[in-house]
């Protein structure tokens, strides 16, 4: 991208062009800035912890593709892996060694997960996990938690947090009643009544699509117990938490083992991917071994699997220690910044995940998250920070993603700017 061309294009012009040919100008709704106001910046490039927009402005980036890039943007080792893989062809519709390797790496790292099937997105992983659980149990009913997001498939697009919550759409039109009549929604952090009519319970072990809401002590353990008692398949949607809380899954972090896991984001290292896995007995219900159909032209894509494999290889226990220390430094700094400006806020952190809620009380479920968001402070904070060159997610229900390229320098600068921003906020 030449400097000359960059200086000719503004974000506003690009957004106008985009809106002519792409609904709302974006390919995923939260990117449109509707809940924070203003014009989205169009990214020209990313490097490490930074994004550079088409106008040449730079931002410390805490969106990190919603957690898909944990090593930061354009890590040279990852870029080399992508280039290398691309030299051999980008998709074949035939098996490759690379997808076996990535599957082995996931299975090795996640205790209790015997097999995985790779998909092209987290949405597909969660959708397929539900079909598999229904096929395995021969039951229809599923339970999800209010404010947990499991992608945009029909049956799961109910009380979904994140982009949907930000837009204030409780679900979506275009979903027939029949598609959701077997989806029961319960408040997060409370173990719901369950019986043997349920095929599956799906949960984010740390909710990270309604802001960051950690599980209460005993919540996951009790869910596990009740699912076992009733023959219900317990699904951990770890599309965010997998390989982000630690070198394995949240199940390893908490010591609670589900029957099926969903993965995505980190495992593709920034390439489109998803995966669902679990016990052999359940996974072998999938076609071509069993009767549950699931497929994908680009599933197990060789560039995505090569990228995911290099990223997982580069992450070790030390990486997560560093991430947790930096996340803690950011959380403490933000908390102090709000306190000294007299802004009531809860900076909620679990290991490497951080989220901000405004208000005087810690947030434990979606109703409380919505109450906090209704105070209307997030758009102010977001815009004050964006103007100072720090990009948080353009929606109040998203996590703050700290990556390995956020050094103390970026964290401390962010905290300093947050102190300025907080003083400008009107509560
Ligand atoms: C992002 C996300 C998904 C959907 O993944 P996509 O790749 O966007 O389809 C599903 N579940 C959770 C918990 C997520 O955070």
């Amino acid at each position: 991208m030449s400097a000359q061309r960059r200086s000719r294009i503004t974000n506003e012009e690009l957004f106008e062009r985009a809106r002519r040919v792409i609904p709302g100008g974006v390919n995923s709704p939260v990117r449109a800035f509707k809940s924070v106001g203003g014009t989205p910046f169009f990214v020209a490039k990313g490097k490490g912890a930074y994004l550079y927009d088409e106008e040449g402005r730079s931002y410390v980036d805490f969106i990190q593709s919603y957690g898909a890039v944990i090593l930061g943007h354009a890590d040279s080792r990852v870029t080399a892996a992508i280039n290398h893989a691309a030299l051999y062809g980008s998709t074949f519709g035939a098996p490759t060694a690379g997808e076996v390797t990535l599957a082995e790496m996931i299975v090795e790292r996640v205790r209790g997960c015997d097999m995985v099937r790779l998909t092209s997105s987290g949405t597909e992983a969660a959708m397929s996990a539900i079909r598999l659980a229904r096929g395995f149990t021969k039951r229809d009913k599923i339970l999800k938690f209010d404010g947990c997001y499991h992608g945009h498939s029909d049956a799961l697009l109910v009380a979904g947090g994140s982009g949907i919550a930000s837009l204030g759409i409780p679900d979506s039109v275009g979903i027939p009643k029949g598609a959701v009549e077997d989806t029961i929604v319960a408040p997060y952090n409370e173990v719901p009544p369950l019986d043997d009519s349920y095929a599956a319970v799906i949960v984010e072990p740390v909710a990270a699509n309604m802001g960051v809401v950690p599980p209460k002590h005993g919540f996951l353990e009790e869910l596990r117990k009740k699912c076992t008692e009733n023959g219900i398949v317990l699904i951990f949607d770890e599309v965010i938490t997998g390989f982000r809380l630690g070198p394995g899954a949240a199940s390893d972090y908490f010591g609670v083992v589900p029957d099926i896991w969903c993965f995505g984001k980190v495992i593709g290292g920034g390439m489109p991917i998803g995966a669902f896995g679990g016990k052999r007995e359940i996974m072998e219900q999938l076609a071509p071994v069993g009767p549950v159909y699931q497929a994908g032209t680009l599933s197990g894509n060789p560039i995505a699997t090569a990228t995911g494999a290099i990223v997982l290889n580069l992450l070790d226990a030390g990486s997560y220690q560093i991430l947790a220390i930096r996340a803690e430094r950011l959380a403490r700094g933000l908390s102090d910044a709000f306190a000294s400006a007299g802004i009531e806020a809860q900076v909620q952190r679990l290991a490497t995940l951080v989220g901000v809620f405004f208000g005087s009380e810690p947030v434990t479920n979606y109703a409380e998250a919505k109450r906090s968001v209704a105070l209307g402070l997030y758009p102010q904070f977001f815009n004050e920070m964006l103007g100072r060159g720090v990009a948080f997610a353009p929606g109040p229900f998203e996590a703050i993603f700290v990556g390995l390229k956020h050094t103390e320098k970026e964290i401390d600068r962010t905290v300093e700017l947050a102190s300025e921003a907080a003083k400008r906020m009107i509560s």
Side-chain angles (χ1 to χ4, degrees):
M1 188 85 23
S2 77
Q4 198 190 359
R5 190 179 152 211
R6 197 173 295 163
S7 66
R8 285 211 318 264
I9 303 176
T10 66
N11 291 321
E12 190 52 62
E13 285 163 351
L14 270 168
F15 196 38
E16 211 177 290
R17 257 174 69 196
R19 274 178 302 193
R20 253 179 254 137
V21 289
I22 303 169
V26 293
N27 286 308
S28 201
V30 73
R31 297 179 196 166
F33 276 39
K34 266 194 126 159
S35 63
V36 290
T39 304
F41 57 88
F42 281 68
V43 177
K45 67 170 187 180
K47 186 69 193 164
Y50 293 88
L51 289 179
Y52 302 84
D53 73 9
E54 290 284 354
E55 295 178 2
R57 214 172 279 121
S58 69
Y59 307 87
V60 180
D61 173 36
F62 288 100
I63 307 169
Q64 301 276 297
S65 193
Y66 296 93
V69 286
I70 197 166
L71 297 175
H73 300 291
D75 179 283
S76 57
R77 300 157 300 184
V78 174
T79 306
I82 295 172
N83 287 337
H84 183 80
L87 287 175
Y88 293 89
S90 56
T91 178
F92 310 111
T96 63
E99 60 197 306
V100 184
T101 302
L102 184 64
E104 285 170 347
M105 291 178 73
I106 294 171
V107 163
E108 262 165 37
R109 283 163 172 75
V110 178
R111 196 169 52 85
C113 181
D114 301 328
M115 309 182 100
V116 289
R117 165 85 36 105
L118 302 177
T119 64
S120 298
S121 68
T123 294
E124 284 172 75
M127 177 185 81
S128 305
I130 293 292
R131 183 180 304 149
L132 177 58
R134 284 172 163 163
F136 177 70
T137 57
K138 305 200 167 51
R139 305 171 184 170
D140 292 338
K141 218 154 78 175
I142 59 170
L143 186 136
K144 79 173 285 288
F145 291 94
D146 202 10
C148 284
Y149 180 64
H150 305 295
H152 58 90
S153 70
D154 282 0
L156 292 169
L157 203 53
V158 186
S162 206
I164 323 161
S166 300
L167 290 172
I169 304 170
D171 43 27
S172 167
V173 299
I175 296 178
K177 245 188 270 140
V180 291
E181 71 187 7
D182 288 313
T183 306
I184 309 299
V185 181
Y188 193 73
N189 262 328
E190 283 170 49
V191 180
L194 290 167
D195 57 47
D196 63 10
S197 67
Y198 285 91
V201 168
I202 186 166
V203 64
E204 286 182 77
V206 180
N209 284 288
M210 51 167 143
V212 171
V213 179
K216 279 185 185 164
H217 185 71
F219 173 60
L220 298 174
E221 288 82 354
E222 193 58 27
L223 262 188
R224 172 68 279 179
K225 194 163 147 262
K226 279 219 174 171
C227 285
T228 305
E229 283 167 8
N230 292 290
I232 302 166
V233 173
L234 178 61
I235 304 172
F236 276 7
D237 183 346
E238 301 224 25
V239 172
I240 284 182
T241 53
F243 308 98
R244 176 158 293 275
L245 293 189
S251 54
D252 298 293
Y253 185 89
F254 292 112
V256 178
V257 181
D259 302 299
I260 300 181
W261 289 257
C262 303
F263 298 110
K265 298 189 172 119
V266 171
I267 63 160
M271 299 298 289
I273 207 164
F276 62 107
K279 296 187 176 134
R280 182 173 311 274
E281 168 197 20
I282 299 177
M283 292 303 287
E284 288 191 337
Q285 296 297 311
L286 283 173
V289 192
V292 179
Y293 192 72
Q294 189 278 336
T297 302
L298 297 179
S299 293
N301 176 266
I303 302 179
T305 52
T307 311
I310 186 98
V311 170
L312 291 189
N313 262 329
L314 288 167
L315 294 167
D316 57 22
S319 317
Y320 293 99
Q321 249 163 21
I322 293 170
L323 276 178
I325 289 168
R326 306 249 169 91
E328 210 263 327
R329 191 179 182 94
L330 178 67
R332 190 158 23 90
L334 289 177
S335 193
D336 291 348
F338 293 126
S340 61
I343 303 276
E344 286 182 327
Q346 312 295 317
V347 183
Q348 306 201 156
R349 180 180 76 91
L350 194 130
T352 59
L353 277 171
V354 181
V356 170
F357 285 111
F358 293 101
S360 55
E361 299 295 326
V363 169
T364 66
N365 61 35
Y366 193 36
E368 293 168 3
K370 284 193 286 195
R371 224 171 292 144
S372 154
V373 166
L375 297 173
L377 291 176
Y378 187 79
Q380 285 189 47
F381 178 63
F382 169 86
N383 283 301
E384 291 288 344
M385 291 305 281
L386 194 71
R388 289 172 171 79
V390 179
F392 288 117
F397 292 103
E398 311 291 347
I400 297 173
F401 288 99
V402 178
L404 282 163
K405 294 294 192 308
H406 292 102
T407 66
E408 285 186 4
K409 181 183 140 210
E410 281 80 28
I411 302 282
D412 292 350
R413 179 87 186 120
T414 298
V415 166
E416 201 180 301
L417 295 170
S419 294
E420 287 177 29
K423 292 193 180 93
R424 297 285 301 271
M425 288 168 62
I426 305 150
S427 64

